[in-house]
Amino acid sequence: MSDSEKLENPWKDRDSLPSPKGEDIALAMLMLLLCALCIPFCFYDWVPPVLLAAVFSYIVYAVRKPRAVIALLLLAVIPSAFFSGLSVSALLFALVVGTGCFAYLITLCKSPYLAVLPFVVAFGIARVILRDTEPALLTLVCIPSGLLLAIATRKALSRTVAVIMTLIGFLIPLGLILWIVLGRMASDMGVELAQCLAYIREELTAFLIAVREEFIRTMPTLMEGTDDAAGRLAQMEQTVRSVLSDAFFVDLTASLFNLLPGIAVLLCSIPAYAAQFLLAYQYAGTGMEAVVTPQSLKFIMSPTSAILFMIAFLINLFASGNSFAVAVIGNFYLMLLPAFCVVGAQSIGAILHPARGGARLFLLLLIASAICCLGVNTFSMLAFFGAYEALIYAVREKMARTVSEGGDDHNGEDPME
């Protein structure tokens, strides 16, 4: 084996790598058992605080890098911005830590099949508690993602490919769960799957219209004590019915269903990236720095995907309706959005890192102002900036290679002479 091969993939010479500590393996197995067991119970009141306390403690112990720890713990903020309570945050951390620990155990244990034991134990406990096999199967959802992440790691694939493979591992159980639930619902209704989906869409539209009507019914209490309350109430009701018309909700529901593939990829991208991030720092934090290669830390998107994303971004600004082309562009945009958000965040971090004193404070205030002004659109603008940076990076790399090759071919002489 050549030195370049060893540098490229340290896993090829597994015997030369340091062995993990027994307590690190045992702790990873314990955390895997806890995460797998808690997934079916994340929406019970007492489970999320216990699980979050355990995984926070494990992350602090296993990662040991303050910035990485803070980045991982900030994941709890993302669901909290959209959902009340800690259940969704607990579920997200269970998927991330469960996937990371499973991949960690598969890659480091001399007998990789031992990594499956926590899943078997968790399934057995959940089956006894729930007295039902199907919900107990949720304890196994981290197996595909952890297995694919382990394969990508052992093959020393790039970070981008590893995240994509982990993403696929999350999409597999999600697709199976939806197929089982929708299939059972269609069977109970005695209709085909397509008819079942149409029924769900109609019910969602009816629910949104009912929410609008409930809001209109509560409007008189909001207008009490104001001058000309009756006139203002009639005008406000007319405005609400005009803006939030039945046709608006029909189009909104149709758009939502058309974008379901992109939404699924977007949601699964978050735990996929976080799990790969956690795994890299698990190795470094537990004495396995030798397997943390540069390609496992650098997240790069191709210039082609950057150009396509920028085009999709611009089209989405003006596109309307529910045509097939609009749906395809919208799904493509949502699928690439998380990746370019990561690239954009990395680029901003690279700008902030060398800044000092007043310059850093000015940049932080500028970023905070942009977030306050843009709101949810911050993610779109961050992704657009990431796509721009990915494109510029590819151009610079191409120019550097051209200059280097030109220097080698002409022994330092100007090729134009």
Side-chain angles (χ1 to χ4, degrees), residues 189-200:
M189 295 171 59
V191 297
E192 298 293 331
L193 184 59
Q195 294 173 307
C196 179
L197 290 172
Y199 171 78
I200 294 174

Side-chain angles (χ1 to χ4, degrees), residues 61-404:
Y61 167 80
V63 175
R64 305 180 189 181
K65 301 287 185 182
R67 291 184 181 178
V69 170
I70 293 173
L72 285 168
L73 298 187
L74 282 176
L75 281 176
V77 178
I78 297 175
S80 301
F82 300 96
F83 303 96
S84 60
L86 300 174
S87 296
V88 178
S89 295
L91 177 60
L92 177 60
F93 270 99
L95 295 173
V96 170
V97 178
T99 299
C101 287
F102 186 43
Y104 179 82
L105 292 170
I106 290 178
T107 54
L108 294 182
C109 287
K110 293 182 179 180
S111 300
Y113 66 88
L114 293 175
V116 182
L117 288 180
F119 290 110
V120 176
V121 176
F123 172 78
I125 296 174
R127 176 66 179 82
V128 171
I129 295 174
L130 298 172
R131 299 180 181 179
D132 193 351
T133 301
E134 288 189 357
L137 288 173
L138 292 174
T139 58
L140 310 179
V141 297
C142 290
I143 291 180
S145 55
L147 182 60
L148 290 175
L149 177 57
I151 291 173
T153 302
R154 289 296 296 263
K155 290 183 176 295
L157 301 178
S158 69
R159 186 180 196 180
T160 308
V161 175
V163 171
I164 292 174
M165 291 178 65
T166 311
L167 165 64
I168 294 171
F170 281 121
L171 289 173
I172 291 172
L174 177 62
L176 288 174
I177 292 170
L178 291 176
W179 181 70
I180 292 172
V181 171
L182 293 175
R184 177 168 295 179
M185 186 181 297
S187 177
D188 293 340
M189 295 171 59
V191 297
E192 298 293 331
L193 184 59
Q195 294 173 307
C196 179
L197 290 172
Y199 171 78
I200 294 174
R201 194 160 87 176
E202 292 172 1
E203 287 296 307
L204 179 59
T205 304
F207 170 76
L208 294 174
I209 293 174
V211 171
R212 181 197 65 192
E213 295 301 318
E214 181 63 26
F215 173 73
I216 291 175
R217 279 194 292 271
T218 60
M219 283 169 52
T221 60
L222 301 176
M223 302 296 295
E224 289 180 355
T226 61
D227 297 335
D228 191 19
R232 292 189 178 187
L233 182 62
Q235 183 179 4
M236 185 179 292
E237 180 177 347
Q238 182 181 2
T239 302
V240 171
R241 291 189 182 279
S242 174
V243 175
L244 303 178
S245 63
D246 291 358
F248 169 79
F249 286 124
V250 170
D251 289 340
L252 177 64
T253 307
S255 299
L256 178 63
F257 271 70
N258 290 338
L259 295 175
L260 283 179
I263 294 172
V265 172
L266 186 150
L267 294 178
C268 291
S269 296
I270 298 172
Y273 178 83
Q276 194 279 334
F277 183 86
L278 171 63
L279 179 61
Y281 281 95
Q282 275 179 295
Y283 290 139
T286 55
M288 300 292 295
E289 297 91 344
V291 302
V292 183
T293 59
Q295 60 264 33
S296 68
L297 297 176
K298 198 167 187 179
F299 191 84
I300 299 175
M301 295 295 290
S302 69
T304 302
S305 63
I307 293 173
L308 293 176
F309 176 81
M310 295 173 80
I311 294 173
F313 174 88
L314 296 174
I315 292 176
N316 270 328
L317 291 177
F318 307 101
S320 60
N322 296 305
S323 65
F324 177 77
V326 171
V328 171
I329 293 171
N331 279 292
F332 184 77
Y333 170 78
L334 289 176
M335 290 176 183
L336 290 178
L337 179 68
F340 283 112
C341 280
V342 170
V343 177
Q346 289 178 342
S347 300
I348 292 176
I351 295 172
L352 286 174
H353 182 68
R356 293 292 182 272
R360 170 172 286 193
L361 179 61
F362 172 76
L363 290 173
L364 290 174
L365 290 175
L366 184 64
I367 293 171
S369 301
I371 293 173
C372 293
C373 294
L374 294 172
V376 178
N377 292 325
T378 301
F379 295 105
S380 296
M381 296 307 299
L382 178 63
F384 187 84
F385 176 69
Y388 168 79
E389 285 293 309
L391 188 60
I392 294 300
Y393 175 82
V395 171
R396 289 173 179 170
E397 288 290 302
K398 179 64 175 178
M399 292 176 63
R401 284 196 300 268
T402 302
V403 172
S404 176

Side-chain angles (χ1 to χ4, degrees), residues 8-26:
E8 181 184 358
N9 185 1
W11 295 100
K12 288 183 177 180
D13 191 5
R14 179 66 182 85
D15 294 335
S16 66
L17 297 175
S19 298
K21 297 178 181 179
E23 55 267 30
D24 291 332
I25 295 294

